[in-house]
Amino acid sequence: MIEKGGYIRDIFQKPVGTSVTAYGWVKTRRDSKGVHFIQLNDGSCFQDLQIVIDAGTLPEDVLSQATTGACLRVGGELVESPGAGQSVELKAREMHVYGPADPQTYPLQKKGHTMEFLREIAHLRTRSNTFGAVFRVRNALSFAIHKFFQERGFLYLNAPIITTSDAEGAGAMFGVTTLDLMNLPRTETGEIDYDRDFFGKKAGLTVSGQLEAEIFALAFSNVYTFGPTFRAENSNTPRHLAEFWMIEPEMAFYDLEDNRKLAEEFLKYIIAYVLDTCAADLELFNKRIDNTVLSTLVHVAGSDFEHVTYTEAIAILEKAGRAWEFPVHWGVDLQSEHERYLTEETFKKPVVVTDYPREIKAFYMRLNDDEKTVRAMDVLAPRIGEIIGGSQREERYDVLLNKIRAQGLPEEAYWWYLELRKYGTAPHAGFGLGLERMLMYVTGMKNIRDVIPSHPWLRRVLNRRKPHPMRALL
RNA sequence: UCCCCGUUAGCUCAGCGGCAGAGCACUCGGCUGUUAACUGAGGUGUCAGUGGUUCGAAUCCACUACGGGGAGCCA
């Protein structure tokens, strides 16, 4: 139990001469003839507390157990440090070893490790400098997100995680069932009989909270969701996860312009918050992971995003004189190579692209008067690609119904979505931000698997498992 | 899902048909205050697995497993 003010980050704020007790894990240890140094970290801040032990102060059997990885309690006096790396240090009087760590087998070394190796020891990587910083920034980012919306009066909405809505078109859903998979009930026509399942119909994990957010926006005006989302897509890239966290604000009386401005204000706000509160952590990323991170964040927080329409973006790409792997002409969706060109070469900062062709975007996006484009927007970030996707929603009942029918979607499944337009409809808009993608952008981390709290025994949960050879026989 | 690349000591990697290697970590020692300390010495192996080619395989071939990159899809 850590008493108030017991975190190492608080100890740094105390005056020299104070008697303090520090708790934490040994990061490194250095020994000289007459003095021992231990770097102690409790995760509360990037800076380690340097413990100084004069030879003979502590019993040898205690000191010998205080090796890299061990968990300690150290009592002593906070003193000015004559060394260069820190202003104060803890001169030890008393030490207790909660948990030793055998140096011969403890996998974390003082030297740098590859991310691939650290991923295999996901239960210990949290004690490394890099992952300490990742999860402190993730925490700050999450807090900043709530702060931004709460300051603006948005209602925080917990969208359901299990859903029986088959109207969500964002991606493949993980099934949720209590049926006996070895003995599935069948209907007369041989289909799986979901009437006999737990919810009486086919259920799955949510792929988006947007439709729920629309329900709430048309009652509470401005709302946002912030929660886990699941996609059973067979995506295997450093930018995709099967489970990730998404922030989805939805605003009544907002058009696409308002939506775009809010998205920009939002991104700048959370970046500024992290710059303000996680300076030491960001310096680590800048030094060890990507030496452009800090300057990029400062630049983005202080400058205006670019805005181009899809049509303008296509014109830029056509004039680029590149041999695109995917040829560019009006009507095609933007590919990774196109997004990268726009963000990394043309503008060198986040770019908002709006008004895409209706054919390549979802049915619920509001049709423009030209009847060719819809009020969609993507915020593209250098290196990450699409970080935000959003749109002004189609609020006109007849237009929405026609689009549902034209796309061959099951009209009956959208009855409630249509009723939102039938009774008291309002113009509204919203967007979705992937928390992990934002975290990648802020930290410079190159693989999305390194910004999530995963467990060693679930290491592969976030990757799709390769098909088992026996599967062909089933 | 498709296309590439990889798997050798705890970690990072070299070796690419003929004795299993280096740096770091680790162990023991030296050093009056170190900052991923410095410094001397020392031990470290299912060469991912299975099968094949060969007098001989870490090395060549096949399959499997796992990891990484790129693409598609998207956040």
Side-chain angles (χ1 to χ4, degrees):
Chain A
M1 179 78 185
I2 294 187
E3 70 269 27
K4 246 183 175 176
Y7 294 114
I8 284 174
R9 68 163 171 252
D10 297 324
I11 287 174
F12 283 121
Q13 305 303 316
K14 294 187 176 183
V16 166
T18 312
S19 223
V20 297
T21 305
Y23 302 77
W25 291 265
V26 176
K27 197 158 274 173
T28 68
R29 168 174 170 169
R30 297 174 292 275
D31 298 297
S32 277
K33 181 151 182 97
V35 62
H36 310 272
F37 300 96
I38 287 172
Q39 299 298 124
L40 198 70
N41 192 285
D42 67 350
S44 66
C45 59
F46 177 74
Q47 174 102 46
D48 303 317
L49 179 63
Q50 175 159 279
I51 311 292
V52 186
I53 304 143
D54 287 329
T57 310
L58 299 175
E60 188 51 42
D61 61 323
V62 173
L63 189 57
S64 67
Q65 288 195 88
T67 55
T68 304
C71 182
L72 311 181
R73 181 189 69 221
V74 184
E77 187 187 345
L78 201 61
V79 297
E80 269 184 56
S81 176
Q86 59 285 314
S87 57
V88 292
E89 60 192 19
L90 179 57
K91 201 169 187 63
R93 270 196 303 264
E94 174 269 339
M95 177 185 289
H96 175 70
V97 179
Y98 290 106
D102 183 354
Q104 297 209 46
T105 56
Y106 186 66
L108 281 176
Q109 303 170 6
K110 299 177 202 180
K111 290 283 179 183
H113 293 290
T114 60
M115 292 300 149
E116 290 77 17
F117 172 67
L118 290 169
R119 224 168 276 152
E120 290 175 14
I121 50 164
H123 57 307
L124 296 172
R125 68 176 182 173
T126 41
R127 298 185 196 171
S128 68
N129 283 330
T130 302
F131 286 91
V134 163
F135 292 109
R136 277 187 299 275
V137 172
R138 187 181 169 114
N139 171 67
L141 205 52
S142 300
F143 185 74
I145 287 161
H146 281 295
K147 194 164 181 283
F148 176 85
F149 289 118
Q150 292 295 325
E151 282 172 0
R152 284 156 184 78
F154 282 55
L155 181 100
Y156 175 40
L157 158 70
N158 307 115
I161 289 166
I162 297 176
T163 173
T164 54
S165 165
D166 52 4
E168 303 187 36
M173 222 186 250
F174 284 102
V176 173
T177 184
T178 54
L179 294 176
D180 179 1
L181 297 182
M182 296 301 283
N183 185 22
L184 288 168
R186 300 280 175 176
T187 63
E188 285 173 12
T189 53
E191 308 284 310
I192 295 168
D193 187 1
Y194 285 107
D195 286 351
R196 316 231 324 244
D197 204 350
F198 189 85
F199 297 105
K201 60 196 292 192
K202 194 175 178 185
L205 298 177
T206 182
V207 295
S208 165
Q210 182 198 316
L211 301 185
E212 280 81 10
E214 284 190 58
I215 295 173
F216 276 70
L218 293 171
F220 296 89
S221 305
N222 292 335
V223 304
Y224 69 107
T225 72
F226 185 3
T229 308
F230 308 87
R231 302 271 169 94
E233 300 285 355
N234 188 10
S235 297
N236 198 340
T237 82
R239 300 180 306 282
H240 289 85
L241 292 167
E243 174 184 327
F244 62 100
W245 278 58
M246 193 150 63
I247 299 95
E248 294 179 288
E250 191 73 31
M251 296 75 64
F253 319 113
Y254 268 52
D255 63 13
L256 189 68
E257 282 301 292
D258 302 324
N259 199 26
R260 181 170 65 78
K261 285 174 186 160
L262 185 78
E264 179 174 342
E265 189 189 347
F266 171 60
L267 289 177
K268 286 180 182 173
Y269 179 98
I270 59 179
I271 287 171
Y273 183 86
V274 170
L275 279 170
D276 195 40
T277 57
C278 302
D281 293 321
L282 293 178
E283 270 167 37
L284 174 86
F285 295 123
N286 205 59
K287 192 172 154 196
R288 296 267 171 87
I289 306 294
D290 179 347
N291 62 16
T292 66
V293 152
L294 219 42
S295 58
T296 301
L297 292 180
V298 170
H299 178 239
V300 167
S303 62
D304 292 335
F305 290 10
E306 287 297 332
H307 170 218
V308 292
T309 63
Y310 168 86
T311 305
E312 290 164 346
I314 292 294
I316 290 168
L317 294 168
E318 282 176 333
K319 280 190 211 133
R322 291 269 176 120
W324 302 111
E325 190 186 339
F326 294 86
V328 174
H329 58 85
W330 201 95
V332 300
D333 206 352
L334 298 182
Q335 305 295 323
S336 286
E337 56 174 341
H338 308 138
E339 295 179 353
R340 294 189 76 127
Y341 181 82
L342 290 171
T343 57
E344 294 172 14
E345 298 188 45
T346 308
F347 298 116
K348 295 185 168 54
K349 59 173 155 175
V351 181
V352 191
V353 183
T354 60
D355 300 289
Y356 284 79
R358 62 186 292 185
E359 287 79 14
I360 59 172
K361 288 291 179 185
F363 74 95
Y364 53 73
M365 297 185 179
R366 193 181 198 277
L367 192 60
N368 277 316
D369 291 344
D370 62 11
E371 304 221 335
K372 288 181 186 155
T373 57
V374 289
R375 305 246 75 192
M377 70 169 193
D378 284 352
V379 181
L380 310 177
R383 191 165 50 81
I384 312 295
E386 185 180 340
I387 196 167
I388 278 181
S391 66
Q392 183 176 341
R393 320 305 187 188
E394 184 56 74
E395 86 283 10
R396 297 165 294 183
Y397 182 90
D398 294 341
V399 179
L400 185 64
L401 183 59
N402 284 339
K403 287 185 81 176
I404 287 172
R405 285 177 177 163
Q407 294 199 17
L409 296 167
E411 191 179 321
E412 60 284 357
Y414 295 96
W415 67 272
W416 59 271
Y417 196 66
L418 284 159
E419 279 207 354
L420 292 173
R421 277 73 179 165
K422 194 169 166 185
Y423 305 114
T425 192
H428 61 289
F431 60 83
L433 170 76
L435 178 68
E436 286 79 9
R437 288 214 181 148
M438 187 63 201
L439 197 51
M440 286 172 77
Y441 184 64
V442 169
T443 59
M445 297 293 286
K446 286 168 187 62
N447 193 312
I448 200 164
R449 294 167 202 127
D450 296 327
V451 297
I452 48 161
S454 67
H455 302 285
W457 60 93
L458 290 175
R459 196 153 58 85
R460 301 179 66 194
V461 157
L462 304 151
N463 267 334
R464 184 174 180 275
R465 190 181 168 78
K466 286 182 182 167
H468 192 276
M470 288 299 284
R471 206 174 280 181
L473 305 173
L474 296 174

